[in-house]
Amino acid sequence: GRNVYSRHDYEGLPTEAANALMQHVHASFATLQGAQFGNYKVQFCDDFSYTDPVDGSVSTGQGVRIGFADGSRIVLRLSGTGTEGATLRIYLEAFEPEVAKQHLDAQDALAELIGIALQITQLRERTGRTEPTDSTLRTQSSASTTAVLTVSGGRPPDSPDAMSARIRKKFTPAT
């Protein structure tokens, strides 16, 4: 199988619109739980925090995770570090078990998940944006060293993050 990753950045968003978008997603947690979006069923959604592995400090309010039953996930992070307005980063991750589909460009392989992220966030309606200002993609096969866009800390043991860690451990070649 192959893991496929992408990050879509929406820079320079009006701060009020970006904050309203995140509030909308938070308000949707109860209705998202168990919801079916095409081939994807929401298993959990939550706010996540990051625990620094060096000093043990905890950073809360790091974003929103939406995990799906098949281990795919969407992570939304809002930052105000851009030159103007806010930046919304949407991280997407899916596992593609079908060999026939493993040659696809990451954006094509993640097209349904990208559409789900846009639907859940109502990004187009709330910000007027139709495209990200930047996209980063990564396709990861089981035969290569894993370089993953992930967040850590504060996860339930059966979360997609735990699954990703098991996949990384299983498929990272020994040195």
Side-chain angles (χ1 to χ4, degrees):
R2 179 168 279 201
N3 284 1
V4 183
Y5 308 89
S6 185
R7 183 181 91 190
H8 291 197
D9 290 351
Y10 292 84
E11 298 172 334
L13 294 175
T15 303
E16 297 81 25
N19 287 330
L21 180 148
M22 293 300 283
Q23 289 168 358
H24 162 73
V25 174
H26 280 105
S28 302
F29 277 6
T31 57
L32 285 173
Q33 198 84 306
Q36 188 77 37
F37 293 90
N39 294 315
Y40 295 90
K41 183 175 183 176
V42 177
Q43 183 177 21
F44 72 91
C45 43
D46 61 14
D47 286 297
F48 67 91
S49 60
Y50 172 79
T51 302
D52 188 292
V54 176
D55 66 11
S57 63
V58 178
S59 297
T60 59
Q62 293 298 302
V64 170
R65 294 182 306 158
I66 302 168
F68 297 90
D70 71 346
S72 298
R73 68 180 176 162
I74 297 169
V75 176
L76 308 169
R77 296 195 70 202
L78 188 60
S79 94
T81 59
T83 56
E84 69 177 61
T87 297
L88 175 67
R89 289 191 170 92
I90 302 177
Y91 298 84
L92 305 132
E93 176 182 355
F95 179 74
E96 180 52 68
E98 293 183 42
V99 175
K101 293 182 180 178
Q102 292 175 4
H103 72 283
L104 293 174
D105 174 81
Q107 302 310 310
D108 294 332
L110 293 167
E112 185 177 4
L113 204 56
I114 292 166
I116 292 167
L118 295 175
Q119 180 182 349
I120 289 172
T121 61
Q122 298 178 348
L123 189 134
R124 290 178 178 147
E125 297 84 352
R126 293 177 175 278
T127 68
R129 293 288 181 88
T130 58
E131 298 291 328
T133 51
D134 187 32
S135 294
T136 304
L137 57 96
R138 222 172 254 161
T139 303
Q140 187 64 49
S141 71
S142 59
S144 61
T145 303
T146 303
V148 184
L149 297 171
T150 60
V151 295
S152 62
R155 305 180 182 96
D158 61 344
S159 73
D161 296 304
M163 184 186 81
S164 293
R166 286 191 305 276
I167 290 169
R168 284 193 302 275
K169 183 176 180 181
K170 182 176 180 181
F171 292 119
T172 301
T175 53

